[in-house]
């Protein structure tokens, strides 16, 4: 097993758990949010569906400016129901797997930067970006979505072990 396979072996598990979670997005609760400062279920689901695609820019580029000077800034994905979220997720997961398949060990330590308006927000080795900005970010938003599910009576999937609603 290569170092890349070892480092990213859990990505497949996280993608499977994410798909399992996204499959339950309730269309009738799309605009619900737990607090006025929070995002809606639909926004969290759309964001969660797009994050795997960030692996592509991590491995194919050396930086990403989400608000480039003179260019269009970032806008969240335009999804309006569970079916669209799943389609976006599948597209991004497939692209991420393809990008990861081409990684060489020498790529792991190359620097990658996130910018806004041309200003560097952070620079880290690509392997660290993948772990924190992509994989951990997926886990973070998936956890938020499962809390939203619990509050709304949507069965929480068993992910790392049984949930209060299901075993494996």
């Amino acid at each position: 097993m290569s170092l890349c396979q070892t480092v990213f072996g859990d990505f497949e598990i996280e993608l499977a758990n994410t798909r399992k979670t996204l499959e339950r997005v309730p269309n009738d609760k799309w605009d619900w949010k737990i607090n006025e400062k929070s995002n809606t279920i639909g926004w969290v689901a759309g964001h969660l569906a797009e994050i795997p695609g960030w692996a592509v820019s991590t491995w194919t580029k050396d930086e990403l400016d989400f608000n480039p000077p003179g260019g269009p800034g970032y806008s969240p994905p335009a999804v309006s129901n569970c079916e669209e979220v799943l389609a976006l997720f599948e597209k991004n997961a497939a692209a991420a797997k393809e990008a990861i398949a081409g990684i060489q060990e020498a790529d792991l330590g190359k620097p990658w930067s996130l910018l806004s308006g041309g200003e560097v927000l952070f620079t880290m080795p690509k392997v660290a970006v993948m772990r924190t900005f992509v994989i951990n970010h997926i886990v973070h938003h998936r956890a938020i979505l499962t809390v939203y599910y619990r509050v709304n009576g949507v069965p929480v999937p068993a992910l790392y072990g049984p949930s209060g609603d299901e075993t494996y």
Side-chain angles (χ1 to χ4, degrees):
M1 181 177 283
S2 74
L3 180 58
C4 292
Q5 290 170 320
T6 302
V7 171
F8 302 121
D10 60 339
F11 189 55
E12 286 283 340
I13 294 167
E14 297 306 337
L15 290 176
N17 281 340
T18 300
R19 184 177 210 304
K20 188 175 182 181
T21 303
L22 288 174
E23 289 172 343
R24 298 166 191 229
V25 173
N27 288 331
D28 65 331
K29 299 283 187 182
W30 192 259
D31 294 322
W32 182 90
K33 57 182 172 178
I34 199 164
N35 179 283
E36 66 186 40
K37 295 180 182 180
S38 300
N39 291 302
T40 65
I41 285 178
W43 185 93
V44 175
H47 187 57
L48 189 52
E50 82 174 309
I51 297 171
W54 297 356
V56 177
S57 64
T58 301
W59 297 108
T60 62
K61 299 178 181 183
D62 294 328
E63 65 182 33
L64 174 66
D65 193 328
F66 66 88
N67 191 25
Y74 166 80
S75 65
V79 290
S80 59
N81 59 53
C82 183
E83 295 74 24
E84 291 175 2
V85 161
L86 288 171
L88 177 63
F89 173 76
E90 292 299 339
K91 176 183 146 217
N92 287 330
K97 290 177 191 180
E98 185 177 326
I100 289 169
I103 298 170
Q104 303 296 314
E105 273 192 56
D107 299 328
L108 297 175
K110 289 181 179 175
W112 186 90
S113 299
L114 180 67
L115 295 84
S116 177
E119 298 290 322
V120 175
L121 300 177
F122 68 79
T123 299
M124 299 189 315
K126 288 186 176 201
V127 68
V129 173
M130 184 68 186
R131 289 293 326 158
T132 60
F133 198 61
V134 179
I135 297 173
N136 293 355
H137 202 137
I138 287 170
V139 173
H140 164 75
H141 283 287
R142 195 175 62 220
I144 291 169
L145 197 54
T146 61
V147 169
Y148 284 15
Y149 288 176
R150 175 65 68 225
V151 172
N152 280 282
V154 176
V156 174
L159 300 172
Y160 300 113
S163 75
D165 299 310
E166 75 179 29
T167 59
Y168 285 106

